[in-house]
Amino acid sequence: MASERGAGARRLADRAGKVRELGILLALLLVVAGTAFSNPRFIEAQSVRDLLLNASIVALLAVGQTIVVITRNVDLSVGSVLGLAAFLTADAFAANHELPVAVGVGFGVVIGLACGAANGLVVALGRVPSLVVTLGTLYVFRGLDFALASGQQINAADLPGSLLALGSGRLLGVPNLVLITLIVVLAAWFYLRSYRSGRQLYAMGSNPDAAVLAGIPVPRRTFTAFAVSGAIAGLAGALWAARYGTVDAAAGTGLELQVVAAVVVGGVAIFGGSGTVLGAALGALLLSTIAGSLVVVGVPAFWQQAITGALLLAAISIDRLVALRLAAALRRTRNGGA
């Protein structure tokens, strides 16, 4: 009987998640349709590719952030990790033009992994709140980035064509960066949905005390979540260098707020326990599309930020409302099964 109630609760939670993702998709379609009505060029092939490219790096970071947030933590250092990885990766390519692209990108991933592991060690073993830890490392990693760069800027002319081709190339008309982001999103979605350790991350976020009593290795899972978030931020840094070509120590400054906004708008509960990487990626695409549509219809830059902030507040309010209704539905499920 208990297993039936548990299965019913999981089905209910999965259904709520799907409703949230469908809601984001519907909002995305409405924004695109409304903007296209005002300016039909908004849905031309090149404009759509630009929208996807603009959203790809934020969506990539949102995947790692989602893995952390569902454990009831947050990683505010992703923008600084991206900046550090982007500069060091670009510097490595500038010093050695014969460096294989896969090796150089892997170098960026290793840098991000080291930063994420540092965050994870302090949070998991030191039991320090992740908000405090990652707020501190946000400045530590950025300061390290500025110290290593020493005011230097790496330009596209300093980088090999193979790296720049990764950032500007396409496969069957789809930009490489979008394809890489899609692969990472699907891999993370499959892991969180299908693997026991992935489901345990949700359990940790839903009820940390119960997760400990159930024998879940909470410190190890927390460390892994931060390490994965850091590695993905390192990959995003390498792709940043490939896309933009010009990299300095300020790369990715302030990006962490966009990533958190994408995750929350994407239906990931800020207090952990629910949400999907698909929703977070759609949230990144929705925010990018709204930003693009506001430019197209001529909204001033100040109001663009204000509208984005209002959307974030609305998303948090809706998330809270859905969570309360879901909790009520789960109580009815338990009472009905008793």
Side-chain angles (χ1 to χ4, degrees), residues 72-99:
R72 202 174 283 201
N73 287 292
V74 68
D75 186 355
L76 295 180
S77 68
V78 290
S80 297
V81 176
L82 178 146
L84 182 62
F87 181 81
L88 292 180
T89 301
D91 189 50
F93 275 107
N96 183 6
H97 279 213
E98 302 302 321
L99 185 67

Short mmCIF file of all heavy atoms in Angstrom, two decimals, residues 72-99:
data_model
loop_
_atom_site.label_atom_id
_atom_site.label_comp_id
_atom_site.label_asym_id
_atom_site.label_seq_id
_atom_site.Cartn_x
_atom_site.Cartn_y
_atom_site.Cartn_z
N ARG A 72 18.48 21.69 -2.84
CA ARG A 72 18.24 22.77 -1.88
C ARG A 72 19.51 23.59 -1.63
O ARG A 72 19.80 24.03 -0.52
CB ARG A 72 17.68 22.23 -0.56
CG ARG A 72 16.94 23.26 0.23
CD ARG A 72 16.27 22.69 1.46
NE ARG A 72 15.04 21.96 1.14
CZ ARG A 72 14.08 21.72 2.03
NH1 ARG A 72 14.19 22.15 3.26
NH2 ARG A 72 13.00 21.05 1.67
N ASN A 73 20.31 23.77 -2.69
CA ASN A 73 21.49 24.63 -2.63
C ASN A 73 21.44 25.60 -3.80
O ASN A 73 20.50 25.57 -4.60
CB ASN A 73 22.76 23.78 -2.69
CG ASN A 73 23.02 23.03 -1.39
OD1 ASN A 73 23.34 23.63 -0.37
ND2 ASN A 73 22.89 21.71 -1.42
N VAL A 74 22.46 26.43 -3.93
CA VAL A 74 22.54 27.33 -5.07
C VAL A 74 24.02 27.58 -5.36
O VAL A 74 24.86 27.50 -4.45
CB VAL A 74 21.81 28.67 -4.78
CG1 VAL A 74 22.52 29.47 -3.70
CG2 VAL A 74 21.65 29.50 -6.04
N ASP A 75 24.34 27.80 -6.64
CA ASP A 75 25.73 28.06 -7.04
C ASP A 75 25.79 29.44 -7.71
O ASP A 75 25.44 29.58 -8.88
CB ASP A 75 26.22 26.97 -8.00
CG ASP A 75 27.70 27.13 -8.33
OD1 ASP A 75 28.31 28.13 -7.90
OD2 ASP A 75 28.25 26.25 -9.02
N LEU A 76 26.21 30.44 -6.94
CA LEU A 76 26.29 31.81 -7.48
C LEU A 76 27.61 32.09 -8.18
O LEU A 76 27.82 33.19 -8.67
CB LEU A 76 26.08 32.82 -6.34
CG LEU A 76 24.71 32.82 -5.66
CD1 LEU A 76 24.67 33.87 -4.56
CD2 LEU A 76 23.61 33.07 -6.67
N SER A 77 28.52 31.12 -8.20
CA SER A 77 29.85 31.37 -8.75
C SER A 77 29.97 31.00 -10.22
O SER A 77 31.05 31.13 -10.80
CB SER A 77 30.90 30.58 -7.95
OG SER A 77 30.75 29.19 -8.16
N VAL A 78 28.88 30.54 -10.86
CA VAL A 78 29.01 30.00 -12.21
C VAL A 78 29.51 31.04 -13.22
O VAL A 78 30.26 30.70 -14.14
CB VAL A 78 27.68 29.38 -12.70
CG1 VAL A 78 27.37 28.10 -11.95
CG2 VAL A 78 26.53 30.37 -12.55
N GLY A 79 29.10 32.30 -13.05
CA GLY A 79 29.57 33.33 -13.97
C GLY A 79 31.07 33.54 -13.87
O GLY A 79 31.78 33.69 -14.88
N SER A 80 31.60 33.52 -12.64
CA SER A 80 33.04 33.70 -12.44
C SER A 80 33.82 32.47 -12.93
O SER A 80 34.91 32.59 -13.48
CB SER A 80 33.34 33.94 -10.96
OG SER A 80 32.74 35.14 -10.53
N VAL A 81 33.25 31.28 -12.69
CA VAL A 81 33.90 30.06 -13.18
C VAL A 81 33.98 30.08 -14.71
O VAL A 81 35.01 29.74 -15.30
CB VAL A 81 33.15 28.80 -12.70
CG1 VAL A 81 33.75 27.54 -13.29
CG2 VAL A 81 33.17 28.73 -11.17
N LEU A 82 32.87 30.49 -15.32
CA LEU A 82 32.87 30.62 -16.79
C LEU A 82 33.95 31.59 -17.25
O LEU A 82 34.71 31.30 -18.19
CB LEU A 82 31.49 31.08 -17.27
CG LEU A 82 31.33 31.31 -18.78
CD1 LEU A 82 29.92 30.94 -19.22
CD2 LEU A 82 31.63 32.77 -19.18
N GLY A 83 34.04 32.74 -16.59
CA GLY A 83 35.04 33.74 -16.99
C GLY A 83 36.45 33.22 -16.85
O GLY A 83 37.29 33.42 -17.75
N LEU A 84 36.74 32.54 -15.73
CA LEU A 84 38.09 32.01 -15.51
C LEU A 84 38.42 30.94 -16.55
O LEU A 84 39.52 30.93 -17.13
CB LEU A 84 38.18 31.42 -14.09
CG LEU A 84 39.52 30.86 -13.66
CD1 LEU A 84 40.59 31.94 -13.67
CD2 LEU A 84 39.42 30.21 -12.27
N ALA A 85 37.47 30.03 -16.79
CA ALA A 85 37.70 28.96 -17.77
C ALA A 85 37.85 29.52 -19.17
O ALA A 85 38.69 29.06 -19.96
CB ALA A 85 36.57 27.95 -17.71
N ALA A 86 37.03 30.54 -19.49
CA ALA A 86 37.10 31.13 -20.83
C ALA A 86 38.47 31.77 -21.07
O ALA A 86 39.09 31.57 -22.13
CB ALA A 86 35.99 32.18 -20.99
N PHE A 87 38.96 32.52 -20.09
CA PHE A 87 40.24 33.20 -20.30
C PHE A 87 41.40 32.20 -20.38
O PHE A 87 42.25 32.29 -21.27
CB PHE A 87 40.51 34.20 -19.18
CG PHE A 87 41.80 34.95 -19.38
CD1 PHE A 87 41.87 36.03 -20.24
CD2 PHE A 87 42.97 34.54 -18.75
CE1 PHE A 87 43.05 36.70 -20.46
CE2 PHE A 87 44.16 35.19 -18.95
CZ PHE A 87 44.21 36.28 -19.82
N LEU A 88 41.43 31.23 -19.44
CA LEU A 88 42.55 30.28 -19.44
C LEU A 88 42.52 29.38 -20.68
O LEU A 88 43.57 29.02 -21.22
CB LEU A 88 42.52 29.44 -18.16
CG LEU A 88 42.84 30.21 -16.87
CD1 LEU A 88 42.78 29.29 -15.67
CD2 LEU A 88 44.21 30.87 -16.97
N THR A 89 41.32 29.02 -21.13
CA THR A 89 41.21 28.21 -22.35
C THR A 89 41.70 29.00 -23.56
O THR A 89 42.48 28.50 -24.39
CB THR A 89 39.76 27.75 -22.57
OG1 THR A 89 39.33 26.99 -21.44
CG2 THR A 89 39.64 26.90 -23.82
N ALA A 90 41.24 30.25 -23.66
CA ALA A 90 41.67 31.09 -24.78
C ALA A 90 43.18 31.32 -24.72
O ALA A 90 43.87 31.32 -25.76
CB ALA A 90 40.92 32.42 -24.74
N ASP A 91 43.71 31.51 -23.51
CA ASP A 91 45.16 31.73 -23.36
C ASP A 91 45.95 30.49 -23.80
O ASP A 91 47.01 30.61 -24.44
CB ASP A 91 45.45 32.06 -21.89
CG ASP A 91 46.88 32.50 -21.68
OD1 ASP A 91 47.34 33.41 -22.42
OD2 ASP A 91 47.56 31.95 -20.80
N ALA A 92 45.40 29.30 -23.47
CA ALA A 92 46.08 28.06 -23.87
C ALA A 92 46.09 27.92 -25.40
O ALA A 92 47.10 27.53 -25.99
CB ALA A 92 45.39 26.86 -23.23
N PHE A 93 44.97 28.25 -26.04
CA PHE A 93 44.91 28.17 -27.50
C PHE A 93 45.80 29.23 -28.15
O PHE A 93 46.42 28.98 -29.19
CB PHE A 93 43.46 28.34 -27.97
CG PHE A 93 42.67 27.06 -27.98
CD1 PHE A 93 41.69 26.84 -27.03
CD2 PHE A 93 42.92 26.07 -28.92
CE1 PHE A 93 40.95 25.66 -27.02
CE2 PHE A 93 42.19 24.89 -28.93
CZ PHE A 93 41.20 24.68 -27.97
N ALA A 94 45.85 30.43 -27.53
CA ALA A 94 46.69 31.49 -28.10
C ALA A 94 48.17 31.12 -28.02
O ALA A 94 48.96 31.47 -28.91
CB ALA A 94 46.43 32.80 -27.36
N ALA A 95 48.54 30.39 -26.97
CA ALA A 95 49.95 30.00 -26.81
C ALA A 95 50.32 28.81 -27.69
O ALA A 95 51.51 28.59 -27.98
CB ALA A 95 50.22 29.66 -25.34
N ASN A 96 49.33 28.01 -28.07
CA ASN A 96 49.60 26.80 -28.86
C ASN A 96 48.49 26.60 -29.88
O ASN A 96 47.44 26.04 -29.58
CB ASN A 96 49.71 25.58 -27.94
CG ASN A 96 50.07 24.33 -28.70
OD1 ASN A 96 50.35 24.36 -29.91
ND2 ASN A 96 50.07 23.19 -28.01
N HIS A 97 48.70 27.06 -31.10
CA HIS A 97 47.67 26.97 -32.14
C HIS A 97 47.44 25.54 -32.60
O HIS A 97 46.43 25.25 -33.25
CB HIS A 97 48.06 27.85 -33.33
CG HIS A 97 47.73 29.30 -33.12
ND1 HIS A 97 47.35 30.14 -34.14
CD2 HIS A 97 47.72 30.05 -31.99
CE1 HIS A 97 47.13 31.35 -33.66
NE2 HIS A 97 47.34 31.31 -32.35
N GLU A 98 48.38 24.64 -32.29
CA GLU A 98 48.23 23.25 -32.72
C GLU A 98 47.45 22.42 -31.70
O GLU A 98 47.26 21.21 -31.89
CB GLU A 98 49.62 22.62 -32.92
CG GLU A 98 50.50 23.35 -33.93
CD GLU A 98 49.85 23.45 -35.30
OE1 GLU A 98 49.20 22.45 -35.71
OE2 GLU A 98 49.97 24.50 -35.95
N LEU A 99 47.03 23.05 -30.63
CA LEU A 99 46.30 22.32 -29.59
C LEU A 99 44.97 21.79 -30.15
O LEU A 99 44.18 22.56 -30.69
CB LEU A 99 46.01 23.26 -28.41
CG LEU A 99 45.36 22.65 -27.16
CD1 LEU A 99 46.32 21.69 -26.48
CD2 LEU A 99 44.93 23.75 -26.19
#
